[in-house]
């Protein structure tokens, strides 16, 4: 993540219904020079091909932070990368990995994810409580996937509310801490002989249904305000290539030099 981020619980002014957006309109460049998203876009636009700019613009238009994905108890890197690939395809911008085992931290698998990680906001957490506390400060309700008597069918949920979808790992499922700290338990109806999905399949089904439900209720999934779209577009431009950040830093140096020359 390139642009400056806001603190948990610091909601953007005018944010619709306490809806979280993580970025400030500020890029800290070389020499401590701060640039706005407009400046970043203006500087980088000539360096990105028009077809690529249009594809990035369409992706941003369909992005949302109103649904986010949480993978708890990391076990299989490939499954996590596959889930992230689905998140990118469906416009779910914010994803989280909880790994209590310091020896098994998340590493991307680009053969599986096809580079989706580059375009997602990925946050890594050391404990379930730490992750859930941050998400609740950001206004999310926590929905853990669990087959229990108190589980709500995902098809009966209102996904227009900011919701964090939590899936467990392939071996242990959802932890007791996650079940206790979450706001509700949900499940996907299954009609076969097995009683669970592969974690990446479950995540894909849940996110796909959430997006479809949001479209049916509010007419769209992507819900960024104009200023938020501009800020995220600048963030994507900065992620486009490793060289783009260097171009912006050079611009910042020139801007600082011109300012000093006027003094």
């Amino acid at each position: 993540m390139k642009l400056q981020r806001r603190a948990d619980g610091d909601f953007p002014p005018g944010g619709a219904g306490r809806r979280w957006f993580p970025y400030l309109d500020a890029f800290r460049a070389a020499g401590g020079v701060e640039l706005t998203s407009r400046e970043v876009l203006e500087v980088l636009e000539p360096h990105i091909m028009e077809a690529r700019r249009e594809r990035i613009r369409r992706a941003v238009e369909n992005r949302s932070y109103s649904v986010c994905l949480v993978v708890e108890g990391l076990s299989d890197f490939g499954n996590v990368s596959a889930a992230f690939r689905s998140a990118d395809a469906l416009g779910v911008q914010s994803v989280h990995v909880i790994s209590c085992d310091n020896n098994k931290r998340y590493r991307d698998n680009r053969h599986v994810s096809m580079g989706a990680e580059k375009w997602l906001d990925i946050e890594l957490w050391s404990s379930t409580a730490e992750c859930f506390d941050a998400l609740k400060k950001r206004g999310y309700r926590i929905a853990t996937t669990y087959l229990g008597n108190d589980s709500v069918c995902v098809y009966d949920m209102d996904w227009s509310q900011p919701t964090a979808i939590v899936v467990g790992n392939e071996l242990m499922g959802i932890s007791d801490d996650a079940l206790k700290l979450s706001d509700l338990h949900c499940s996907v109806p299954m009609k076969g002989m097995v009683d669970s999905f592969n974690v990446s399949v479950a995540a894909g089904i849940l996110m796909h249904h959430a997006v479809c439900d949001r479209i049916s209720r509010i007419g769209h999934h992507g819900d960024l305000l104009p200023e938020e779209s501009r800020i995220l577009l600048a963030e994507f431009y900065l992620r486009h290539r490793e060289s783009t950040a260097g171009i912006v830093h050079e611009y910042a140096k020139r801007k600082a030099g011109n300012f000093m020359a006027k003094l």
Side-chain angles (χ1 to χ4, degrees), residues 33-237:
V33 177
E34 223 172 63
L35 304 177
T36 66
S37 58
R38 290 186 190 278
E39 289 178 290
V40 171
L41 293 173
E42 184 179 331
V43 171
L44 292 180
E45 192 162 284
H47 299 275
I48 303 174
M49 293 181 65
E50 184 177 351
R52 188 65 166 171
R53 293 201 308 267
E54 178 59 21
R55 185 165 184 177
I56 293 173
R57 187 197 63 76
R58 287 199 307 270
V60 168
E61 190 177 87
N62 288 289
R63 282 309 209 242
S64 176
Y65 286 90
S66 294
V67 175
C68 70
L69 174 68
V70 181
V71 180
E72 187 202 33
L74 177 64
S75 176
D76 186 302
F77 293 124
N79 273 334
V80 179
S81 291
F84 286 1
R85 182 175 175 180
S86 296
D88 173 67
L90 292 166
V92 175
Q93 181 63 23
S94 176
V95 296
H96 305 257
V97 177
I98 303 170
S99 179
C100 302
D101 183 353
N102 289 328
N103 295 320
K104 195 157 191 180
R105 303 295 289 177
Y106 174 69
R107 300 189 305 273
D108 64 8
N109 185 332
R110 289 181 176 261
H111 292 295
V112 177
S113 69
M114 301 301 289
E117 288 94 344
K118 176 178 179 178
W119 305 105
L120 298 173
D121 293 358
I122 301 174
E123 296 184 65
L124 308 180
W125 304 91
S126 299
S127 74
T128 301
E130 178 189 24
C131 176
F132 283 18
D133 180 62
L135 290 173
K136 288 182 179 183
K137 285 178 179 176
R138 298 175 190 181
Y140 290 99
R141 62 174 178 175
I142 312 292
T144 52
T145 51
Y146 178 68
L147 285 172
N149 293 331
D150 64 343
S151 293
V152 178
C153 175
V154 295
Y155 303 137
D156 295 330
M157 292 172 58
D158 179 357
W159 292 94
S160 65
Q161 301 178 44
T163 304
I165 304 167
V166 186
V167 296
N169 71 27
E170 305 81 358
L171 303 175
M172 305 298 293
I174 293 288
S175 71
D176 290 340
D177 282 348
L179 291 174
K180 184 167 53 178
L181 295 171
S182 59
D183 298 303
L184 72 154
H185 307 153
C186 64
S187 62
V188 179
M190 285 174 282
K191 309 299 183 182
M193 297 296 290
V194 297
D195 60 1
S196 66
F197 288 105
N198 169 281
V199 64
S200 63
V201 173
I205 291 172
L206 286 159
M207 289 186 290
H208 183 267
H209 175 69
V211 169
C212 290
D213 182 78
R214 286 170 54 75
I215 292 172
S216 70
R217 290 177 187 273
I218 62 177
H220 51 83
H221 170 61
D223 59 0
L224 300 183
L225 300 174
E227 182 185 13
E228 295 169 344
S229 292
R230 187 183 68 247
I231 293 170
L232 187 61
L233 185 63
E235 173 72 18
F236 274 29
Y237 274 22

